[in-house]
Amino acid sequence: MKNFSYSSVLCVSLLSMSFGAFSAEGLNVDLAILKINKEVKSLNKEILTLKDEIEILRENQRLNSEKIDELLQMIELSQTTNKQLEKSVEINPQPSKLFRDGKSSFVLGNYDKAIELFLSHLKNSPNDKSLIDTQLWLGRSYFYSESYLESKNAYLDFQALGAEHPKYADSLYELSRVYIELNEASEAKMLLTQMLEDYPDHILFNKASALIQSL
């Protein structure tokens, strides 16, 4: 009988020790899982933060690229204007200060001021020859200020007056971009086709080709 009692006590003791060991092991596993979950959540937050930063960097890169493209276009316009002014037929050799200041404001990106100066020049200058150039630059200023209807009208006025102007081909390309902004793709294609056919050696030929293919 005593042996049975000792055996029972021994079994109970062993079971208690085993249960305690298993309980301790289970607690350690739970703690490890909680720790891993905490680390995973922390990593997820870091990943989301990095994704946001990457999106911001991409957006800044896109905006900077657009600004660079716009600046290059303005420089190109200025260079082609200087080259072809020598070939101009009866262009006023001494444009008024209003016209010069308007072009300076345009190059500096102050389009509203440029528009104001060009409109003042149109109103106050009696010289029709310089007014043709003013209409072209007015169309450009309206375009970059996103006043597309006014830009369209200014370009059409320029083309009506300056069919023989050395910048007429440029106006075809530039006006086509205005039509695109106004969702008038057919008119844009017509102008680009005319430019490509009539001016195959023009400096803007490749850009016009790429633009018409995108429509």
Side-chain angles (χ1 to χ4, degrees):
M1 189 68 179
K2 287 183 179 181
N3 290 336
F4 177 76
S5 298
Y6 290 144
S7 298
S8 299
V9 171
L10 180 60
C11 288
V12 170
S13 298
L14 291 173
L15 288 172
S16 298
M17 292 175 63
S18 299
F19 179 77
F22 285 130
S23 298
E25 183 179 353
L27 181 61
N28 290 336
V29 170
D30 290 341
L31 290 174
I33 292 174
L34 288 173
K35 184 177 180 181
I36 291 172
N37 286 337
K38 185 177 180 180
E39 291 178 352
V40 169
K41 289 180 180 179
S42 177
L43 286 173
N44 285 336
K45 288 181 180 179
E46 291 181 6
I47 291 171
L48 290 175
T49 301
L50 288 173
K51 285 183 177 179
D52 291 339
E53 292 177 353
I54 290 171
E55 289 299 322
I56 292 172
L57 288 173
R58 287 176 177 172
E59 181 65 14
N60 288 336
Q61 185 179 14
R62 183 185 67 80
L63 292 174
N64 289 334
S65 296
E66 290 180 356
K67 291 178 181 179
I68 291 172
D69 288 340
E70 181 176 322
L71 179 59
L72 290 175
Q73 287 179 359
M74 287 191 293
I75 292 173
E76 182 178 280
L77 288 174
S78 179
Q79 289 176 340
T80 54
T81 298
N82 291 334
K83 289 179 181 178
Q84 296 196 13
L85 276 178
E86 298 176 358
K87 303 178 182 178
S88 177
V89 179
E90 297 181 350
I91 299 298
N92 185 4
Q94 294 181 343
S96 75
K97 186 176 186 302
L98 288 171
F99 180 56
R100 293 196 305 271
D101 290 347
K103 289 199 296 183
S104 296
S105 295
F106 176 88
V107 171
L108 293 174
N110 193 350
Y111 306 122
D112 290 337
K113 183 63 176 179
I115 291 169
E116 177 186 338
L117 291 167
F118 290 140
L119 289 175
S120 181
H121 178 57
L122 289 173
K123 181 179 178 180
N124 295 298
S125 176
N127 191 329
D128 291 338
K129 297 180 182 67
S130 63
L131 295 186
I132 298 175
D133 286 310
T134 304
Q135 289 289 0
L136 176 63
W137 285 93
L138 186 59
R140 292 168 174 171
S141 299
Y142 276 130
F143 176 81
Y144 283 105
S145 67
E146 299 182 1
S147 301
Y148 299 119
L149 284 175
E150 290 84 354
S151 178
K152 171 185 173 181
N153 292 332
Y155 276 117
L156 290 175
D157 287 341
F158 166 78
Q159 291 178 350
L161 295 171
E164 301 299 324
H165 194 281
K167 302 297 290 182
Y168 185 82
D170 299 63
S171 74
L172 296 175
Y173 172 77
E174 293 169 23
L175 180 55
S176 71
R177 295 198 300 164
V178 177
Y179 279 129
I180 291 172
E181 295 295 338
L182 293 172
N183 294 318
E184 300 178 17
S186 59
E187 288 80 359
K189 287 181 179 179
M190 181 179 65
L191 290 181
L192 290 169
T193 300
Q194 179 184 350
M195 179 190 171
L196 293 173
E197 291 178 352
D198 295 346
Y199 304 94
D201 298 325
H202 196 274
I203 189 173
L204 294 175
F205 183 89
N206 290 336
K207 284 191 174 182
S209 299
L211 187 57
I212 197 171
Q213 290 174 10
S214 68
L215 297 176

